[in-house]
């Protein structure tokens, strides 16, 4: 039986040069939305145009030459890990008992 695949985040975009105008393209309902610092977040960056905005809200449009700049932005932090570290080391993966004797007395070239 196959398990259902979970939805994943959209793939990351290819790197842009720091002076690329696409670094200033961001999603918003109106151009004026992007004059608010809280709307200048990496999740709204749309270097590929309007199609990048569909995952946020179908009513948003990609606006060029905004006050936002993707250079140096990082994504929203993810949640903390769900499991705690162990208090003691886990068992060693290394065998503590020797293996069997070699099957041939002379080295061979075969694996």
């Amino acid at each position: 039986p196959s398990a259902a695949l979970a939805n994943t985040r959209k793939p990351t975009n290819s790197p842009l040069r720091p002076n690329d105008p696409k670094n200033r393209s961001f999603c918003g309902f109106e151009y004026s939305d992007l004059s608010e610092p809280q709307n200048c977040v990496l999740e709204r960056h749309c270097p590929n145009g309007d199609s990048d905005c569909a995952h946020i809200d179908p009513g948003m449009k990609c606006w060029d030459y905004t006050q936002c700049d993707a250079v140096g932005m990082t994504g929203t932090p993810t949640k903390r890990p769900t499991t705690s570290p162990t208090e003691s080391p886990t068992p060693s993966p290394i065998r503590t008992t020797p293996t069997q004797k070699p099957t041939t007395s002379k080295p061979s070239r075969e694996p």
Side-chain angles (χ1 to χ4, degrees):
S2 64
L5 297 175
N7 289 337
T8 59
R9 297 178 82 137
K10 86 175 193 162
T12 57
N13 293 308
S14 61
L16 298 172
R17 294 181 319 275
N19 61 347
D20 193 314
K22 291 180 180 182
N23 288 323
R24 295 193 173 272
S25 298
F26 283 79
C27 301
F29 293 103
E30 299 290 332
Y31 183 83
S32 60
D33 293 342
L34 302 166
S35 63
E36 300 294 326
Q38 70 269 18
N39 293 331
C40 291
V41 293
L42 193 58
E43 289 78 11
R44 286 190 173 198
H45 183 223
C46 53
N48 303 309
D50 290 335
S51 62
D52 287 342
C53 300
H55 73 281
I56 301 170
D57 188 305
M60 285 188 171
K61 177 181 173 185
C62 184
W63 299 91
D64 296 326
Y65 304 102
T66 68
Q67 294 180 20
C68 307
D69 191 347
V71 174
M73 284 186 172
T74 58
T76 304
T78 58
K79 294 181 180 180
R80 296 175 77 70
T82 56
T83 57
S84 299
T86 57
E87 293 294 323
S88 60
T90 57
S92 173
I94 299 171
R95 264 184 95 136
T96 57
T97 58
T99 59
Q100 300 282 333
K101 289 183 178 181
T103 56
T104 62
S105 58
K106 295 180 184 177
S108 71
R109 295 192 182 266
E110 296 179 19

